[in-house]
Amino acid sequence: MRLALQQAQTIIGNTSTNPAVGCVIVKDGCVVSAASTNINGRPHAEYKALNNITNSVKKKSNLFVTLEPCSHYGKTQPCVNKIIKGKIKKVFFSINDPDIRSYKKSINILKRRSIFTSKGIESRKIRNFYQSYIKYKKGNLPFVSSKLAISKDFYTKNIYKKWITNFYSRSRVHLLRSKHDCILSSVKTILNDNPLLDCRINGLENKSPTKVILDKKLRIPINSRVIKNAKKQKTIIFYNKPNYKKIQLLKRLKVKLLWTSLNKDNYLNLKEILMLLNKNGYSRVFLESGLKLTQAFLRNNLVDDFYLFISNNKIKRNGNLSFKKDFNLFLKKKKQEAPNVNLFGDKMILYKIK
C-alpha cells in the first residue's frame, strides 16, 4: 500500500477532477505491476496496472489501491468491472471514495463475485494525502496551500535584492507548483516581478499548473510573460471593472476572463473566486503572491496548508514588509505537518492551518 501511495504521489495535482490514485498488483509475493492515474485523470490507476500484465498473471493476484475502486459508469467503464474480468483474488484499498457515485459500493460488488475485499491499510496517512480531494468532493471550496518566503528576521522583501531565499528553496517551490492544478497570484506580483509562474524542473515542465491572476481593474500588461505564455499554459484572470477593449485583446491571446464581485472593503471577493475555481474543476490551489494577498487569505480563513521558507540570513535595515505579526497570529500555534526541510542553509516548514 505504501508503494501504491508513492505511485499516487507522483501525479497529484495533475489529474483534473479525478483523484490521484496509485495501484500495485502482487502475485506470489512479487510486485508484478504498478501504476498511477494518468495525467488529466484517465485512464485510472487500476485500469493501467491491469493492462500492464497478461491475463494469466492477473488471475488470482492481489490488488492494492489507495482509494476505493470506482463502481460507476462515466466516460469509461468502472474499475470494479476491470478487476472482476481480470479474476483478481483479493482487493485491498485504504479509504472509501467520497464521490457519492462510488462511496462504499465496491466492497459489495466485489464480494458478490467472491473477491475478498478489505479496506483500511495505511488509512491515516492516505486520508491525509487525499485531504484536498475530500474537501473538493464534500464542499464548495478547493484546498488552498499558501507559500511565503521570509528572511531570518521575518521580512518578506529586500529593497536591494530580488531574492530572499536561496536557489534550493526556489527549486522546491517549482516542485510544489507541479503538485497543484493552479497557481493563484495578484496583478501586483505580475507588475513587480513579471514572473512566468510555471514549473521549470527537468521532466516536470508538462506539470505546470493553470495560472490564475487577480486583477480587479485589468491592469495586467499585454507584454507580461504570463500573458505571452497563455497559449501554452492555461491562464485565468478574475476581474471586476470591465475594460472591453482589453478583454477582447486578452481573449484573442487565449486568456480566460471571469468576472467576480467585490467584498465590503472593495477588494475582489476571495471566497467567491475559490468557489468559481472549484466549480471549474480546480481542487488544489497554490497561493503564490506578495504579503498583502497572503494576509487576506489568512484573515479570511481560506488557507489549509502553509509552506514557510526561511532564509538563514537577516536583512535588517534592507528589509521591508514584515511577516512577524502575522506569523505570531496565524502560524505560531499551528501544528507542523512534517520535520523541517533543510535546504542548504534555508529551511521549509509546513504548517497545518485547518
Side-chain angles (χ1 to χ4, degrees):
M1 189 63 77
R2 290 175 187 159
L3 180 56
L5 176 58
Q6 289 176 4
Q7 291 289 313
Q9 288 168 335
T10 65
I11 198 67
I12 190 167
N14 295 273
T15 56
S16 188
T17 57
N18 285 341
V21 175
C23 180
V24 169
I25 300 174
V26 176
K27 188 168 186 179
D28 299 329
C30 297
V31 173
V32 293
S33 184
S36 63
T37 307
N38 209 52
I39 196 163
N40 294 323
R42 290 184 182 82
H44 293 182
E46 301 96 314
Y47 183 94
K48 288 172 64 180
L50 287 163
N51 271 7
N52 285 341
I53 51 180
T54 62
N55 289 333
S56 60
V57 176
K58 293 175 195 174
K59 192 175 181 179
K60 294 187 178 181
S61 61
N62 298 334
L63 184 145
F64 295 81
V65 62
T66 52
L67 193 68
E68 177 183 9
C70 66
S71 53
H72 64 278
Y73 281 87
K75 293 184 178 180
T76 57
Q77 65 169 309
C79 288
V80 289
N81 288 11
K82 188 80 173 174
I83 291 167
I84 292 165
K85 188 176 179 180
K87 298 184 178 179
I88 298 295
K89 182 180 180 182
K90 296 180 181 180
V91 172
F92 301 88
F93 66 90
S94 184
I95 65 170
N96 290 116
D97 188 344
D99 189 324
I100 59 172
R101 296 172 297 177
S102 290
Y103 182 65
K104 291 187 175 181
K105 294 177 182 175
S106 66
I107 285 183
N108 291 333
I109 294 171
L110 294 170
K111 283 185 175 180
R112 283 200 299 267
R113 295 301 188 103
S114 300
I115 298 172
F116 173 87
T117 310
S118 176
K119 77 164 186 172
I121 302 174
E122 294 285 358
S123 60
R124 185 174 179 181
K125 183 182 291 186
I126 290 176
R127 185 172 297 279
N128 185 61
F129 172 76
Y130 282 117
Q131 56 187 329
S132 59
Y133 175 64
I134 292 169
K135 183 178 181 181
Y136 172 71
K137 282 296 180 183
K138 291 189 174 182
N140 296 318
L141 297 175
F143 190 90
V144 177
S145 298
S146 180
K147 161 261 171 186
L148 195 68
I150 63 172
S151 64
K152 198 173 184 179
D153 47 356
F154 289 92
Y155 289 109
T156 62
K157 190 175 180 64
N158 187 322
I159 59 176
Y160 292 113
K161 293 182 179 179
K162 183 177 181 180
W163 306 112
I164 287 178
T165 51
N166 65 23
F167 168 81
Y168 303 99
S169 290
R170 300 196 297 273
S171 297
R172 189 75 176 209
V173 171
H174 283 261
L175 180 62
L176 289 173
R177 288 175 179 176
S178 74
K179 296 180 180 295
H180 293 80
D181 47 27
C182 72
I183 300 175
L184 193 151
S185 195
S186 68
V187 70
K188 188 174 181 180
T189 296
I190 306 302
L191 292 170
N192 290 342
D193 302 331
N194 195 21
L196 277 167
L197 296 178
D198 59 3
C199 179
R200 296 189 296 281
I201 294 178
N202 290 339
L204 296 181
E205 297 91 344
N206 67 330
K207 293 186 177 181
S208 291
T210 297
K211 294 172 285 190
V212 178
I213 311 299
L214 307 191
D215 186 4
K216 182 172 78 171
K217 298 180 181 179
L218 288 177
R219 295 187 295 144
I220 193 165
I222 294 299
N223 63 351
S224 62
R225 296 203 287 178
V226 290
I227 298 302
K228 285 182 176 180
N229 203 39
K231 290 182 180 180
K232 296 179 181 178
Q233 187 181 345
K234 191 172 180 180
T235 303
I236 300 171
I237 295 178
F238 284 93
Y239 73 100
N240 177 264
K241 305 295 182 184
N243 178 333
Y244 297 107
K245 184 176 179 181
K246 196 164 190 178
I247 287 172
Q248 293 305 314
L249 182 55
L250 288 168
K251 284 182 176 180
R252 286 200 294 271
L253 294 170
K254 304 301 181 184
V255 176
K256 184 174 182 177
L257 293 112
L258 295 174
W259 183 91
T260 189
S261 65
L262 302 180
N263 61 22
K264 62 181 181 179
D265 298 314
N266 206 35
Y267 293 113
L268 291 177
N269 189 317
L270 298 181
K271 190 170 183 179
E272 182 180 315
I273 286 167
L274 291 179
M275 290 174 69
L276 284 167
L277 286 173
N278 188 80
K279 188 177 179 180
N280 278 271
Y282 295 98
S283 63
R284 292 176 59 81
V285 176
F286 191 52
L287 175 62
E288 189 174 345
S289 68
L291 182 59
K292 188 174 181 180
L293 186 57
T294 301
Q295 288 172 328
F297 267 81
L298 286 169
R299 289 170 184 169
N300 284 279
N301 194 31
L302 296 173
V303 177
D304 295 278
D305 280 349
F306 197 99
Y307 293 88
L308 187 66
F309 290 83
I310 306 174
S311 168
N312 196 37
N313 301 313
K314 293 183 178 181
I315 52 180
K316 301 178 181 179
R317 290 181 299 174
N318 295 340
N320 193 16
L321 302 176
S322 175
F323 185 64
K324 190 169 186 178
K325 183 178 178 181
D326 297 290
F327 174 83
N328 291 331
L329 184 62
F330 296 109
L331 301 184
K332 193 173 184 179
K333 295 181 180 180
K334 295 296 182 181
K335 179 183 175 183
Q336 294 185 25
E337 278 291 275
N340 298 349
V341 178
N342 186 335
L343 296 165
F344 297 89
D346 290 359
K347 62 181 177 181
M348 184 193 80
I349 307 174
L350 172 58
Y351 292 93
K352 181 70 176 175
I353 305 298
K354 293 182 182 178

